[in-house]
Amino acid sequence: MKYVLALFFFLFVYSSNAQVLQQRAVRLMGSRFDITIVAKDTVAADAYIDTVVAEVTRIENLISDWRPQTQISEVNRNAGIRPVKVDKEVFELTERALYLSRITGGAFDISFAAMDRIWKFDGSMSEMPSPEAIKKSVKKIGYQNILLDKVKGTIFLKEEGMKIGFGALGEGYAADKCRELMIGKGVQAGIVNGSGDMNTWGRHPDGNKWKIGVTNPIDNNELFAVLPLENEAAVTSGSYEKYVVFNDKRYAHIINPKTGYPVSGLSSVTVLGPNAEFANGLSTSIMVLGKKKGLKLLKAFPRYRAILVDDKGRVRATKNLNIDINSQLE
């Protein structure tokens, strides 16, 4: 359950004798990646950006569930047949995804990839799916049927027709890995933003923290918050861009993996914290869990901060955010 996220940079091209800020937008993992690097000159910055692109491509070739040659595609082809040995990196990513599934009671579930795509949000739906079709659509979803063997390094999907996918974690994981890679190479500052799953390090060359704007889900041409970031990730999940209306009721494109029905109650969740992968898992889960259960989940992870906007435009920010935000959007 990966969604186009509403985050915009406030970046100003700046150069001095010591540093330049270089940006590039590329298409990777089926999404737009915006890469920002601060380096001593444009040649060095471009070389570092090339390294980031290569790293994201490497990750995509490991975990994509739509590229037939990847290890995840091999796992899916062998659902109900046999365990598949995977690289340690893929195994550990799957392990973390299952942890998210357990702590959220299935609100997050990487086997969501097996859901029948009965909901269409491209304008082609003329009627609501039947209750029977909705129930059938989630029949193959169930993180409990994903078996990991740590000794052998294998993943086994117990039921034929099951699939796993990292659409809700992949871009965040890539942003985290690229940040780690760049810091290891001595790059002092930058941002890797994978379709709104972003991680930052260091500061803008002018000495200020990076700033991101969070889109107003009531009017997505406006921002309702500007947040400073330094060595921190930020992710937004939102249900306000893609939806259908039946019998005067709005059904958004974020689907509850346990019920097959679109979620309601929240229109936007922004999570900030040290890790983009986990922030994405939290934001996705909170959209499904709702405000009350979502805030309870966040209390277990005090290093993560959040802004929640409900369907009526009411805003709730966690106490550790330390920012003034209007309680009602218009």
Side-chain angles (χ1 to χ4, degrees):
M1 299 193 306
K2 178 64 173 66
Y3 321 108
V4 178
L5 307 179
L7 290 169
F8 301 91
F9 291 120
F10 290 83
L11 297 176
F12 304 90
V13 178
Y14 174 93
S15 65
S16 68
N17 293 330
Q19 294 177 315
V20 298
L21 184 152
Q22 190 82 340
Q23 295 176 265
R24 189 188 306 172
V26 293
R27 190 161 183 84
L28 299 163
M29 291 183 150
S31 302
R32 172 172 168 153
F33 269 70
D34 292 282
I35 304 163
T36 303
I37 294 293
V38 176
K40 62 182 180 180
D41 54 51
T42 57
V43 174
D46 276 330
Y48 287 130
I49 292 174
D50 289 341
T51 302
V52 168
V53 171
E55 175 67 358
V56 177
T57 302
R58 181 193 70 81
I59 292 169
E60 183 176 16
N61 286 329
L62 274 179
I63 67 172
S64 170
D65 61 313
W66 59 269
R67 290 192 172 189
Q69 75 276 18
T70 70
Q71 294 182 12
I72 293 302
S73 291
E74 182 71 7
V75 168
N76 291 342
R77 279 193 296 269
N78 284 279
I81 301 172
R82 67 175 181 86
V84 173
K85 184 173 177 58
V86 297
D87 290 356
K88 180 182 178 183
E89 181 178 2
V90 176
F91 186 92
E92 291 178 346
L93 179 59
T94 307
E95 204 171 31
R96 293 193 298 274
L98 289 180
Y99 169 72
L100 273 165
S101 297
R102 288 192 296 270
I103 66 172
T104 62
F108 179 93
D109 196 324
I110 58 168
S111 64
F112 182 81
M115 181 180 176
D116 297 335
R117 306 304 180 189
I118 59 173
W119 294 92
K120 309 290 184 184
F121 300 95
D122 57 3
S124 64
M125 285 187 74
S126 59
E127 61 181 8
M128 187 171 170
S130 68
E132 294 78 16
I134 293 171
K135 183 178 180 180
K136 181 178 178 293
S137 72
V138 295
K139 190 176 181 181
K140 297 296 182 180
I141 297 175
Y143 70 91
Q144 302 91 338
N145 291 320
I146 303 172
L147 302 182
L148 303 184
D149 187 323
K150 199 160 191 173
V151 175
K152 295 180 180 178
T154 60
I155 303 173
F156 180 46
L157 310 183
K158 288 174 62 177
E159 303 291 336
E160 184 180 353
M162 282 187 70
K163 294 179 181 179
I164 59 174
F166 291 99
L169 295 181
E171 284 89 349
Y173 174 65
D176 293 339
K177 291 291 287 184
C178 291
R179 174 186 182 274
E180 179 185 330
L181 180 63
M182 289 294 97
I183 291 174
K185 291 183 175 295
V187 179
Q188 294 184 357
I191 305 169
V192 178
N193 174 20
S195 186
D197 289 13
M198 67 177 72
N199 209 334
T200 72
W201 69 102
R203 292 194 174 200
H204 192 281
D206 64 9
N208 291 317
K209 293 181 180 181
W210 303 108
K211 292 184 177 67
I212 62 162
V214 185
T215 296
N216 181 347
I218 306 301
D219 181 355
N220 57 19
N221 292 314
E222 296 181 353
L223 304 175
F224 80 91
V226 178
L227 305 174
L229 292 181
E230 182 180 10
N231 302 318
E232 192 170 32
V235 174
T236 292
S237 293
S239 65
Y240 50 88
E241 290 186 325
K242 297 180 181 179
Y243 59 90
V244 292
V245 178
F246 295 119
N247 299 321
D248 297 323
K249 185 174 180 179
R250 183 174 174 272
Y251 294 90
H253 76 291
I254 299 178
I255 308 296
N256 185 327
K258 295 191 290 184
T259 68
Y261 283 87
V263 302
S264 61
L266 292 172
S267 60
S268 173
V269 176
T270 298
V271 176
L272 293 77
N275 180 279
E277 176 197 322
F278 195 66
N280 192 311
L282 289 175
S283 67
T284 300
S285 301
I286 294 167
M287 286 294 300
V288 176
L289 290 169
K291 181 169 67 175
K292 185 176 180 180
K293 291 182 179 179
L295 289 170
K296 183 179 179 181
L297 174 66
L298 279 168
K299 285 183 179 179
F301 303 98
R303 297 180 69 192
Y304 289 82
R305 306 174 289 157
I307 305 171
L308 285 64
V309 183
D310 70 17
D311 290 341
K312 295 182 179 180
R314 293 173 297 199
V315 183
R316 175 74 179 272
T318 54
K319 292 180 180 179
N320 58 355
L321 193 62
N322 296 322
I323 188 170
D324 292 328
I325 297 175
N326 290 333
S327 60
Q328 181 77 35
L329 299 180
E330 296 179 354

